[in-house]
């Protein structure tokens, strides 16, 4: 399976579709395969590159801490190894702050970017949340940790939907039987990148078009965080969904996929 050498690690990636490249960067604990429901649509128009971040999946998991800048350099190296001079980029949660750094540190490589449930800096509540998540990862069984994550990212309409509820229960079962769960040290290293990320003074230097998108009821990365990022990036677009949380891209899948596809095709 495809690995490349980049920034001192072996990084795993998969591809979907053809066309101009679209680099997809997932969030904490999640491998690139989590993009599948969105890549199924985007790949009709773009060559989607789905990477496993440093610390998860089939990519190397060195000791931390990691930084968002370090992880952005991982993706810059991946693009170089694949011969991609410039790409559209979409990042979710931790992936969105990696995308910010990619646009700031390697501006010629980013044609446009979508920043999902993003932030420019953490506040004290955010720090508390990340610290608690790390404690949960270190002390809970995998299915109990997944239970906590589900409570963070989904909102009431998702819990009230029978199909969604059943999918959540299957997610707990899958976590319990996962033969290769993310190691505690790797989750803590990724969390360090999330906690220490601070680009509030730099986002004014972003040159590419940007769409900031999220949920108004996100308790993990509250809407003020996305609003702050959108206000800081010159000309950025902002869309926040009603009655949706951190996992708004699944909760609002029927709107999210065509909305982001249309934006990407325009930018």
């Amino acid at each position: 399976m495809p690995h490349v050498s980049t920034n001192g690690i072996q990084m795993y990636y998969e591809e979907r579709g053809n066309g101009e490249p679209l680099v997809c960067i997932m969030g904490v604990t999640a491998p690139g395969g989590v993009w599948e429901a969105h890549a199924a649509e985007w790949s009709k128009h773009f060559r989607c590159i789905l990477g496993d971040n440093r610390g998860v999946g089939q990519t190397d998991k060195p000791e931390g801490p990691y930084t968002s800048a370090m992880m952005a350099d991982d993706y810059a190296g991946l693009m170089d190894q694949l011969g991609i001079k410039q790409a559209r980029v979409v990042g979710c949660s931790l992936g969105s702050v990696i995308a910010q750094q990619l646009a700031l540190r390697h501006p010629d490589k980013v044609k446009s970017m979508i920043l999902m449930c993003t932030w420019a800096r953490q506040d004290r509540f955010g720090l508390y949340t990340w610290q608690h998540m790390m404690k949960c990862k270190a002390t809970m069984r995998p299915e109990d940790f997944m239970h906590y994550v589900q409570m963070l990212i989904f909102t009431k309409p998702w819990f009230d939907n029978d199909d969604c509820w059943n999918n959540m229960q299957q997610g707990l079962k899958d976590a319990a039987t996962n033969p290769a769960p993310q190691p505690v040290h790797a989750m803590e290293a990724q969390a360090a990148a999330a906690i220490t990320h601070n680009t509030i003074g730099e986002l004014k230097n972003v040159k590419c078009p940007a769409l900031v998108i999220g949920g108004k009821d996100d308790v993990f990365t509250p809407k003020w965080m996305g609003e702050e990022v959108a206000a800081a990036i010159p000309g950025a677009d902002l869309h926040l969904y009603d009655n949706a949380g951190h996992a708004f891209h699944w909760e609002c899948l029927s709107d999210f996929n065509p909305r982001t596809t249309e934006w990407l095709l325009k930018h």
Side-chain angles (χ1 to χ4, degrees):
M1 301 301 288
H3 285 80
V4 299
S5 296
T6 172
N7 199 25
I9 61 170
Q10 291 292 308
M11 187 173 188
Y12 176 82
Y13 72 97
E14 296 182 2
E15 296 195 32
R16 303 282 187 276
N18 298 290
E20 295 185 2
L22 174 63
V23 175
C24 303
I25 311 177
M26 192 30 78
V28 68
T29 78
V34 177
W35 283 114
E36 205 62 57
H38 313 304
E41 178 64 28
W42 295 335
S43 63
K44 297 175 184 177
H45 308 277
F46 303 104
R47 174 192 175 191
C48 297
I49 312 297
L50 316 179
D52 284 358
N53 292 338
R54 174 187 293 256
V56 76
Q58 297 183 58
T59 291
D60 287 348
K61 306 169 186 65
E63 292 295 327
Y66 308 158
T67 67
S68 56
M70 173 194 296
M71 299 176 82
D73 290 349
D74 294 343
Y75 277 91
L78 172 66
M79 291 175 64
D80 289 342
Q81 290 292 324
L82 296 180
I84 297 172
K85 293 184 177 180
Q86 188 180 62
R88 295 170 174 85
V89 178
V90 57
C92 180
S93 193
L94 176 63
S96 75
V97 303
I98 297 169
Q100 289 177 31
Q101 292 282 22
L102 190 61
L104 289 167
R105 295 170 64 83
H106 307 275
D108 292 341
K109 291 184 179 295
V110 182
K111 181 174 183 177
S112 64
M113 63 180 176
I114 295 179
L115 305 176
M116 302 163 55
C117 38
T118 194
W119 63 93
R121 56 181 171 175
Q122 290 289 323
D123 63 356
R124 289 173 177 167
F125 180 82
L127 177 62
Y128 252 40
T129 304
W130 281 102
Q131 289 174 334
H132 185 62
M133 180 180 282
M134 287 189 283
K135 292 176 182 178
C136 290
K137 176 66 176 176
T139 59
M140 290 180 173
R141 294 180 303 180
E143 61 269 33
D144 295 329
F145 179 68
M146 177 60 70
H147 187 139
Y148 172 63
V149 170
Q150 288 175 344
M151 292 176 67
L152 272 182
I153 68 174
F154 293 115
T155 53
K156 178 175 169 53
W158 188 267
F159 281 84
D160 291 343
N161 182 288
D162 288 344
D163 289 339
C164 298
W165 173 257
N166 291 334
N167 286 338
M168 288 173 62
Q169 301 312 298
Q170 185 61 50
L172 298 180
K173 294 176 182 178
D174 292 343
T177 58
N178 183 353
Q182 184 186 32
V184 171
H185 83 269
M187 184 273 165
E188 291 174 341
Q190 289 190 333
I195 291 169
T196 59
H197 176 80
N198 190 329
T199 53
I200 190 63
E202 300 176 66
L203 290 176
K204 64 181 181 294
N205 298 320
V206 170
K207 303 301 183 185
C208 67
L211 168 63
V212 176
I213 189 166
K216 291 182 180 178
D217 296 335
D218 189 342
V219 297
F220 190 16
T221 53
K223 68 174 186 175
W224 72 262
M225 291 184 170
E227 291 171 342
E228 184 174 71
V229 170
I233 297 176
D237 297 317
L238 173 66
H239 183 80
L240 298 175
Y241 286 98
D242 293 323
N243 304 311
H246 197 70
F248 70 93
H249 46 108
W250 290 319
E251 294 177 321
C252 306
L253 181 67
S254 61
D255 183 88
F256 174 82
N257 275 359
R259 180 183 296 273
T260 52
T261 299
E262 180 181 4
W263 191 90
L264 289 165
L265 288 170
K266 288 181 179 178
H267 301 90

